[in-house]
Amino acid sequence: MVALAALVQICAAGAAGQVTARNPLSRRRDLLSNGLGLTPPMGWNTYNHFHWNISEEIIRETADAMVSSGLAALGYQYINLDDAWAEHERDPQGNLVPDAATFPSGIKALADYVHSKGLKLGIYSDAGNLTCSKLQPGSLGYEEQDANTFASWGIDFLKYDNCHDNGLSPKVRYPVMSKALLNTGRSIFFSLCEWGREDPATWAPAVGNSWRTTGDISDHWESMLRRADENDKWASYAGPGGWNGLMILNSLETDPDMLEVGNGGMTNDEYIAHFSIWALAKSPLIIGCDVRAMSNETYQILSNSEVIAVNQDRLGVQGRKVKEGDLEVWAGPLTNNRVAVVLWNRGSSRATVTAPFSDIGLRADLADARDLWVHMTIPSVKEQISADLDSHACKMYILTPK
C-alpha cells in the first residue's frame, strides 16, 4: 500500500501544478501528448442499459454491432466495461480476477477480440476499497498492481469511480492511479469518475484525460438538464492550452456523464437536444443504449456526422450557455472562424429562440447557417439566427461568416 504521507505529497504537487523532476505528475505531459484526448473520446459503456448484468457475450456482440452499424467508422472506438466484471475477491497473489461465470474467456481474450475489430477495450475500477456495486474489490492500495494487470490485458481506457473511499480525498487517491498507469508504459485513457464532489476541474487536468463534473445521469428530462447545467459551470476549465503551469497539448474534457440516447426515457426531441448539448460542450460521447437493438431514430441521432464533427473539432473549446431561461442559447467557437450554436426551447410550449451574432462571438453581420439536423444550408443569414421550436426541441447550426 502507498503511505498516506506520500499520497498527500503527490496530491499537493499536482494541485499546485509544479512541473519538476521530483513531481511524478509532471510526467502526465508524456501521456497527454501521445495522442490520447486530442478530441473527446467516443465509444460505448455497459452501465446505462445493462447496469451490473454484463457478460463477455454482450461485449463481443456490441463490438460486432458497432462495426456493422457504421458507428465505429464514425469514431466510436471504445467498448467499455463498467462495474461487476470481476470476482468478489482477489486471487491469493492479490490480483483482480474476471468473473468466471460471465467472463469465462478472461479479459485478455476479450481485449484481443475487440482489438481485432479495430476497436479499443475499456475497463472499470474504483479509487476505494470496493466498487460502487460492492460486487468487486476497488483499487485503493493496489493501484500499481491493478494498473499493471490492466496493461497486461491490453486495456485502453480506465473509468475510475469514487465509492468506499476510506475517508481519503479524491485529490489524494486519483493521482496514485494516474502515476501507476503512466508507469505501465501503455497508453491508457484515464477517466476520473469523481462526480464533481471536490471541483475536479480545478485539479484533475494534471491527473487524467477527462473528469466527471456531475453526479450520475438517469434517463429522464430533468436529470439531463441538471447534468448539462452543472457541467456548463466548468466550461472555462476545458480545452487546449495551459493549466496550472502545465502546458497541455490536448483537449481536456469535462464530463457530464454518458449518453442516455435510445434507452426510452425521453422523447426523440429530448434525445436530440441531449446529444446536441453534449457534442457542443465537447463532452465524451459514450453511448449507453443497447446498440445491438437500437431503433432507426436512435441510430440517426448517434450517427449524425455533422454533430459529431462539432464535438471532435480540433480547436477543442467547450461550448457553453450564453443565454439562460426557458429559451436558451448555447454556443462555442470552431476552427476556421466558425461558430456552433444550439437554440433550445426548454419551456413547456412552442416558442421562438433567437441568437444575435454579437452574443455568440460571431464577428460578421452575414453568415451561412448550416442546419446540422436537417442537413441544409441557409445562405446569408443577417445579424441573428432564429428558430420556432416545439417544447423541449432544439436546432443546431454551424455559422460560417461571409
Side-chain angles (χ1 to χ4, degrees):
M1 291 207 175
V2 183
L4 178 59
L7 292 177
V8 173
Q9 184 178 13
I10 290 170
C11 166
Q18 301 163 3
V19 182
T20 69
R22 295 181 181 179
N23 175 14
L25 291 183
S26 67
R27 292 185 57 206
R28 189 65 190 157
R29 291 181 62 188
D30 299 333
L31 183 55
L32 286 173
S33 60
N34 72 356
L36 294 179
L38 291 172
T39 58
M42 298 173 60
W44 175 87
N45 180 283
T46 58
Y47 185 76
N48 283 2
H49 186 84
F50 294 99
H51 301 289
W52 302 329
N53 299 310
I54 59 176
S55 67
E56 66 178 56
E57 180 182 19
I58 290 172
I59 305 306
R60 289 172 184 261
E61 290 177 355
T62 297
D64 293 344
M66 293 290 275
V67 173
S68 64
S69 68
L71 290 174
L74 289 168
Y76 295 98
Q77 62 175 331
Y78 291 104
I79 306 297
N80 293 345
L81 307 179
D82 211 281
D83 203 347
W85 59 267
E87 294 281 6
H88 299 324
E89 303 290 339
R90 294 174 179 269
D91 71 12
Q93 290 73 46
N95 296 309
L96 292 171
V97 180
D99 188 313
T102 52
F103 292 89
S105 302
I107 303 300
K108 178 63 168 66
L110 186 60
D112 289 345
Y113 184 83
V114 169
H115 292 158
S116 76
K117 298 292 180 177
L119 301 169
K120 298 181 178 182
L121 186 68
I123 208 161
Y124 167 98
S125 191
D126 190 282
N129 297 316
L130 293 169
T131 62
C132 294
S133 69
K134 300 183 182 180
L135 294 174
Q136 67 182 66
S139 291
L140 184 63
Y142 293 86
E143 291 88 354
E144 186 171 349
Q145 185 169 359
D146 290 352
N148 287 331
T149 296
F150 299 150
S152 71
W153 288 342
I155 293 299
D156 305 294
F157 186 112
L158 174 62
K159 176 183 173 181
Y160 206 43
D161 221 333
N162 194 32
C163 291
H164 308 289
D165 58 21
N166 209 27
L168 295 173
S169 165
K171 289 186 267 189
V172 169
R173 291 175 284 114
Y174 279 84
V176 185
M177 180 57 84
S178 176
K179 180 175 180 289
L181 292 173
L182 282 173
N183 287 341
T184 70
R186 182 173 179 81
S187 296
I188 299 175
F189 190 103
F190 189 29
S191 174
L192 282 66
C193 187
E194 187 266 359
W195 322 321
R197 289 289 179 86
E198 292 194 27
D199 299 340
T202 64
W203 54 269
V207 179
N209 298 98
S210 68
W211 56 90
R212 278 276 294 280
T213 54
T214 73
D216 287 356
I217 194 171
S218 57
D219 186 22
H220 60 86
W221 170 252
E222 293 297 334
S223 176
M224 187 267 286
L225 293 185
R226 285 196 299 273
R227 303 301 163 259
D229 292 343
E230 290 167 4
N231 186 63
D232 183 58
K233 298 174 185 177
W234 301 105
S236 61
Y237 288 86
W243 174 255
N244 287 342
L246 293 174
M247 288 308 297
I248 295 170
L249 306 178
N250 308 61
S251 297
L252 298 167
E253 290 86 36
T254 58
D255 178 2
D257 206 3
M258 298 171 289
L259 295 165
E260 290 284 5
V261 177
N263 280 327
M266 288 185 261
T267 68
N268 201 58
D269 278 346
E270 290 167 351
Y271 281 139
I272 288 173
H274 177 19
F275 194 72
S276 298
I277 295 297
W278 262 236
L280 182 75
K282 302 299 189 295
S283 302
L285 296 182
I286 306 297
I287 297 169
C289 69
D290 186 353
V291 298
R292 303 171 305 169
M294 60 184 164
S295 68
N296 183 60
E297 289 80 10
T298 294
Y299 177 75
Q300 292 303 320
I301 294 172
L302 297 174
S303 66
N304 188 322
S305 59
E306 295 193 71
V307 177
I308 291 170
V310 171
N311 180 260
Q312 299 292 297
D313 185 79
R314 290 288 172 156
L315 189 62
V317 177
Q318 179 173 332
R320 63 187 310 169
K321 190 186 304 188
V322 297
K323 180 182 177 183
E324 296 194 59
D326 284 348
L327 308 181
E328 286 195 345
V329 177
W330 295 59
L334 302 174
T335 51
N336 300 320
N337 299 313
R338 299 169 302 151
V339 173
V341 59
V342 175
L343 308 180
W344 192 10
N345 179 7
R346 289 170 52 156
S348 59
S349 59
R350 186 173 178 85
T352 299
V353 183
T354 298
F357 289 175
S358 59
D359 288 355
I360 59 176
L362 190 68
R363 299 179 180 178
D365 292 329
L366 283 177
D368 291 336
R370 178 68 176 178
D371 187 325
L372 304 190
W373 288 106
V374 178
H375 305 296
M376 292 179 58
T377 299
I378 308 169
S380 300
V381 177
K382 186 176 182 181
E383 296 181 348
Q384 64 181 29
I385 183 82
S386 296
D388 295 326
L389 298 170
D390 289 333
S391 172
H392 296 185
C394 78
K395 281 282 192 178
M396 188 173 191
Y397 301 97
I398 290 179
L399 300 177
T400 303
K402 303 195 69 169

